Amino acid sequence: MLRVLGVDPGLTRCGVGVVEVAPNRRARLVHVTVVRTPADMALEQRLLRIADGIAAEIDEHRPQAVAVERVFAQANVRTVMGTAQAAGLALHAAAARSLPVGLHTPSEVKAAITGYGNADKRQVQAMVAAVLGLAEAPKPADAADALALAVCHAWRLGSADQVGPGPATLTPAQRAWRDAQQGAGADTPLARAAAAAARGRSRGGARGAAATSVAGPRLGA
């Protein structure tokens, strides 16, 4: 059984879900929670609470891998900043424990869970419940999104033997993003889209990246 912890990053609500997936792709719920912080709390204290919450979940449930939503772009700058900060805390917690990390865009997760990259949050919640054999959909949406991330990553890995960094665990969109960041593979359409979006050339460039699944709306959007 492969155990994966998924993190749906957010400053007000940070979803954390743990699943176990068998080689036949059958998944079961291990644990799910949402780390919450009040808006009137000092930012550094909010980040500390989220960091402590994620670390506690990793230490208690001992996953073999961690999946985090890839933060890319969003119209609301304040929201995306908080999301990026929370995602960074999850990455730090995993790295500090030598756990491999998978980064997935919302579109990738939706496609994996529902078969449709533009599924709405209710469809994601319903399919997460069906995949995990739950009587009702996990709530709030942040909890379902965290579980969807964990299931998506576990399905991509396939088995515990595949856990670890390497090209075989990357999707085409993730390889394009990696190549764009490293300055390699710039002659491929996906890499060009990732590089253009990373530079933030224009809103049109960001839309082009979304079309190639390099970016997409938040899972709970």
Side-chain angles (χ1 to χ4, degrees):
M1 295 287 282
L2 173 62
R3 178 171 290 198
V4 177
L5 181 143
V7 179
D8 178 52
L11 193 55
T12 301
R13 296 183 307 275
C14 181
V16 183
V18 185
V19 301
E20 280 189 341
V21 178
N24 65 0
R25 294 168 62 92
R26 185 179 296 275
R28 78 172 187 90
L29 172 67
V30 175
H31 179 74
V32 65
T33 189
V34 175
V35 181
R36 302 173 186 267
T37 67
D40 59 354
M41 178 182 283
L43 175 60
E44 65 272 20
Q45 294 301 319
R46 299 180 78 180
L47 294 176
L48 178 61
R49 179 176 294 186
I50 293 169
D52 288 346
I54 294 173
E57 295 299 326
I58 293 177
D59 291 341
E60 178 178 354
H61 298 290
R62 299 184 178 278
Q64 293 155 288
V66 173
V68 182
E69 181 182 312
R70 182 185 293 281
V71 181
F72 184 72
Q74 201 167 8
N76 189 323
V77 175
R78 178 175 295 181
T79 298
V80 78
M81 284 296 293
T83 301
Q85 289 167 332
L89 296 174
L91 297 176
H92 179 275
R97 293 158 178 79
S98 300
L99 293 172
V101 176
L103 296 172
H104 301 281
T105 67
S107 295
E108 289 174 339
V109 177
K110 290 177 180 180
I113 297 297
T114 71
Y116 178 53
N118 290 320
D120 61 35
K121 62 182 179 181
R122 285 181 294 182
Q123 291 172 312
V124 172
Q125 288 176 310
M127 285 307 299
V128 166
V131 167
L132 296 176
L134 306 178
E136 60 182 12
K139 295 179 181 179
D142 313 85
D145 292 347
L147 292 171
L149 279 155
V151 171
C152 171
H153 191 57
W155 281 351
R156 289 193 185 280
L157 288 174
S159 71
D161 294 338
Q162 300 301 315
V163 174
T169 68
L170 299 178
T171 67
Q174 290 168 343
R175 285 195 294 271
W177 180 262
R178 179 203 58 194
D179 292 343
Q181 289 179 319
Q182 295 176 350
D187 58 340
T188 67
L190 280 173
R192 288 196 298 269
R199 290 192 299 270
R201 268 180 194 164
S202 65
R203 180 174 298 179
R207 286 175 182 168
T212 59
S213 294
V214 175
R218 291 271 296 154
L219 278 171

